[in-house]
Amino acid sequence: MAVNKDNIKIHVANLKKNFGELEVLKDISTDVFEGEVVVVIGPSGSGKSTFLRCLNRLEDITGGTVIVDGNDITDRNIDINKVRENVGMVFQHFNLFNNLNVIDNMTLAPVKLKKCSPEEARQRAADMLAKVGLSDKAENYPVQLSGGQKQRVAIARALCMKPDIMLFDEPTSALDPEMVGEVLQVMKDLAADGMTMVIVTHEMGFAREVADRIIFMDGGYIVEEGSPEEVLMHPKEPRTIDFLNKVL
């Protein structure tokens, strides 16, 4: 699906985030459009993960505006949990419930939050497990899965909520190298299906292949943004050039 420039899914204006005296995000403004895959890159400590966590208010927002699907999440009166139902989040460390098997991990939120019937939730979970190639693992517990399998279950679990937007926070950085490809493939398939995604990653090859737009962050600012061709192949800013020389 092509990017729909007529529909802004996430609007960020002058976003600031402080942890006490420490200013982590200094003035971030950008829009994410329907069907767009935005990949955020940059050195450790540049504010990438904090930026992502502000998009569903997992971090309190110090200043500025973040509007997700038309909902101003910086408004204290907003029902943030309602907004989050439409925003899937996949973390570095899977965050599966170890005491539940795979299918129960996946059906918990749709039944509790979206008031799905257990039968409907299980059917959706089965469909999503098939999508990530893990139909045979429905009854397994997380301890019985590899890292790559756990992360694919985490993605499938997020998809069970039928989100409009998916946020990924370094989804492959905790994986053994041979597991990375299977998780990236699932994300490529999602991109091909037209899912709106914001992805913090160090996987430059994946960024080049899948991103509609790349944002390079450093020191709490967006230093440069553009197409993969523009940012990775022809960067303009000295800081971007310096970073890419070290990682490419």
Side-chain angles (χ1 to χ4, degrees):
M1 188 180 101
V3 175
N4 177 10
K5 288 286 182 81
D6 294 330
N7 186 1
I8 296 173
K9 298 295 278 183
I10 302 173
H11 171 68
V12 181
N14 311 112
L15 171 62
K16 296 177 178 63
K17 172 60 186 172
N18 297 0
F19 291 103
E21 296 293 301
L22 182 65
E23 219 181 354
V24 177
L25 299 179
K26 294 173 181 170
D27 190 7
I28 302 283
S29 296
T30 192
D31 289 329
V32 179
F33 298 97
E34 182 182 24
E36 189 176 25
V37 178
V38 176
V39 172
V40 185
I41 63 170
S44 294
S46 58
K48 307 182 300 293
S49 289
T50 301
F51 167 61
L52 196 76
R53 291 168 67 86
C54 285
L55 299 184
N56 61 358
R57 224 175 73 194
L58 284 177
E59 298 292 355
D60 276 332
I61 292 163
T62 306
T65 305
V66 179
I67 297 173
V68 178
D69 259 345
N71 300 289
D72 182 354
I73 67 169
T74 40
D75 177 355
R76 285 286 155 212
N77 298 317
I78 198 93
D79 182 350
I80 189 63
N81 290 323
K82 201 77 197 150
V83 178
R84 284 182 188 145
E85 285 181 16
N86 292 320
V87 182
M89 179 97 186
V90 177
F91 300 90
Q92 194 172 340
H93 292 292
F94 329 127
N95 292 20
L96 298 175
F97 296 109
N98 288 322
N99 60 324
L100 299 178
N101 67 16
V102 165
I103 203 88
D104 289 343
N105 259 287
M106 295 173 68
T107 55
L108 186 67
V111 171
K112 287 265 194 288
L113 298 176
K114 288 223 161 168
K115 303 295 185 259
C116 266
S117 71
E119 298 73 31
E120 187 189 342
R122 285 182 80 84
Q123 184 55 57
R124 171 94 179 151
D127 293 345
M128 292 305 103
L129 274 182
K131 190 177 183 70
V132 301
L134 290 174
S135 292
D136 59 333
K137 302 295 183 188
E139 302 301 329
N140 287 43
Y141 283 80
V143 71
Q144 298 169 299
L145 304 176
S146 70
Q149 289 169 338
K150 286 178 192 171
Q151 194 58 294
R152 281 149 66 197
V153 168
I155 294 170
R157 178 178 63 175
L159 292 173
C160 281
M161 293 292 284
K162 301 185 180 174
D164 292 332
I165 298 163
M166 289 282 284
L167 307 177
F168 293 87
D169 189 9
E170 298 193 25
T172 59
S173 62
L175 300 179
D176 291 333
E178 66 266 27
M179 307 288 180
V180 168
E182 62 191 55
V183 173
L184 294 181
Q185 187 56 54
V186 170
M187 294 166 66
K188 287 175 189 173
D189 293 344
L190 281 179
D193 289 345
M195 176 65 76
T196 306
M197 299 198 280
V198 184
I199 304 163
V200 171
T201 187
H202 293 290
E203 299 287 340
M204 295 297 155
F206 171 77
R208 183 182 293 129
E209 194 178 335
V210 176
D212 295 298
R213 181 158 48 102
I214 292 179
I215 290 174
F216 172 67
M217 286 182 67
D218 189 42
Y221 293 103
I222 292 177
V223 175
E224 189 161 351
E225 63 181 310
S227 69
E229 173 78 11
E230 289 164 338
V231 175
L232 297 181
M233 310 308 289
H234 306 287
K236 296 184 181 67
E237 298 296 326
R239 183 65 191 96
T240 318
I241 294 165
D242 180 49
F243 173 76
L244 291 173
N245 282 339
K246 292 185 175 123
V247 301
L248 289 180

